[in-house]
Amino acid sequence: PPNPQPHHNVVSAVRVIEILSDGIAVLGVGIDTLLPPSSRRHPSSPTPLAVGDWVLVTPDPQSTTSTSTYPYKLHHILHHQTLIRRTAPGNSKHRKTQPIAANIDTAFVVSSCNQDFNVARLERYVAMAMDANVRPVIILTKRDLCELGEKEEGEAEEEESEEEREELREDLEWMKDYYLLQAKTIANGTVPVLLLDARGDEPQTALQPYLRRGQTIAFLGSSGVGKSTLLNSLGNSTLAATAAIHSDSGQGRHTTTRRRIFVLGESGDQGCVLDTPGLRELKLVDSKKGVEEVFGDLVAIAQKCKFNDCNHAEGTPGCAIMEAVEREDGTVDEERLERWEKLLEEERAMEKVKIRG
C-alpha cells in the first residue's frame, strides 16, 4: 500500500534494507519506501550508504501526493556501530574501500562440505568480521554430502558388500571430521563452528540463540554454499532464489545479486538477516586488528623474536616462529603460517597504496 501523506516537519528513523539502481529501499515504523539514488552519499557521513545503515528522513515538500516515487528525502546518516568492508576488486593503483554491511551484530561465515571448502577464505571472512567488531560464527552446510542417506544405503545394499558400505561410511565420516577440524583451527578455536543441513527445520533450532529482536545477522561466504537456502529455512518461505552448484567443481552459481535485509518473525521478533552475494575477490582493508585476532597464537610467538622487524624466514637468527616450526611439536602449522604471512604481506602492500573510501 502507498505510504500515507506525511507531515513535512516530521523526522523519522528508518533503516536501509537494499540499495537499488533506482533508489535506496528503507524501512521504518509506518514507512516502506525509496529514497532518491542521490542519497548514496551525504555530507553527514564520510562513507557512502551501506545496507544496514540507520538514517533520518524527512518528508519531501516537493512530493505533492502519497504515491510519489520519492516521498521522503535523506536528512542525516546516523553513525554506524559496525561496518564490514573490503577493498574493492580491481588492480587500480588507488584502491577504493567498498562497504558491505553496517550495524551487524553477528556474521554467519558460511562454507559447504565439498571440494569448494577453503580454510584460507574462511580466515579472511573471519578476520574481516573481527576487524569490524562483529562476532563471527562459522557455519558448515551440506552436511548430507558427508552422510550416507537412506536411499543411497538402499541402493548400496543391492550392489555393494557390507564391508564396502562400512568403508564408505568411514570415508564420509573422515571427510566430515576434516572439515570440522579445519574450521575449528581458525582463530585458535575461539570461533563457534556449527555443522548442519541448510534445508528443513535444523537451521531454526541450531541458530535460534542468535535470532532475537534487535539483532542483525549477516550471511557471508562464496556463491553456492547455502546462504540463501539458510535464509529460506529461517524465514519458512522462499525469500531468496537458490540454484544447484556446479557438480564438477562444487562451486556455486550467483543467485543473490544484491545485499538485502529481511525481517524475520512477527514484527521482527526473530531479528533481521542480511543476505549477500558471494564475493569472487576478498581483500581486506586496514585489517591489522582482525588478522591479529585470527592468528593471535602466532602473533604471541612472534613477540618473542630477537628482532622487532623479524621476517620469520628460515635461517633468521633469534626467530621464535622458525624455532617453533623446527621443533615439529605442532605448535606452529606451516600451512597456517604461510597464510598468516600472506595476509601480512597484503597488509604491508596496502599501506603503500592510498585507499579512497
Side-chain angles (χ1 to χ4, degrees), residues 120-240:
R121 186 191 304 140
L122 286 177
E123 286 171 339
R124 285 176 180 264
Y125 276 111
V126 169
M128 181 172 67
M130 286 181 163
D131 197 66
N133 293 319
V134 173
R135 173 179 55 179
V137 176
I138 297 173
I139 298 180
L140 301 181
T141 62
K142 306 186 190 297
R143 186 190 60 198
D144 55 299
L145 297 179
C146 298
E147 297 174 344
L148 208 58
E150 292 182 7
K151 182 177 180 181
E152 293 170 304
E153 287 197 52
E155 293 174 348
E157 288 174 358
E158 299 177 2
E159 302 174 3
E160 300 174 342
S161 67
E162 183 61 34
E163 183 179 343
E164 288 172 326
R165 292 198 300 274
E166 185 60 32
E167 184 177 337
L168 178 57
R169 288 191 189 94
E170 290 177 358
D171 288 345
L172 292 173
E173 193 66 28
W174 180 90
M175 288 173 56
K176 183 166 64 175
D177 290 343
Y178 168 79
Y179 294 128
L180 273 171
L181 181 62
Q182 288 292 303
K184 287 180 178 179
T185 63
I186 295 174
N188 209 26
T190 59
V191 179
V193 179
L194 303 175
L195 175 66
L196 51 78
D197 188 335
R199 304 164 300 179
D201 299 329
E202 187 178 1
Q204 280 276 6
T205 303
L207 306 180
Q208 191 60 44
Y210 304 97
L211 304 175
R212 304 191 306 275
R213 183 181 296 277
Q215 294 290 299
T216 302
I217 310 301
F219 285 128
L220 303 175
S222 303
S223 298
V225 295
K227 300 189 300 295
S228 296
T229 303
L230 279 169
L231 172 63
N232 292 338
S233 295
L234 294 177
N236 290 316
S237 62
T238 305
L239 299 175

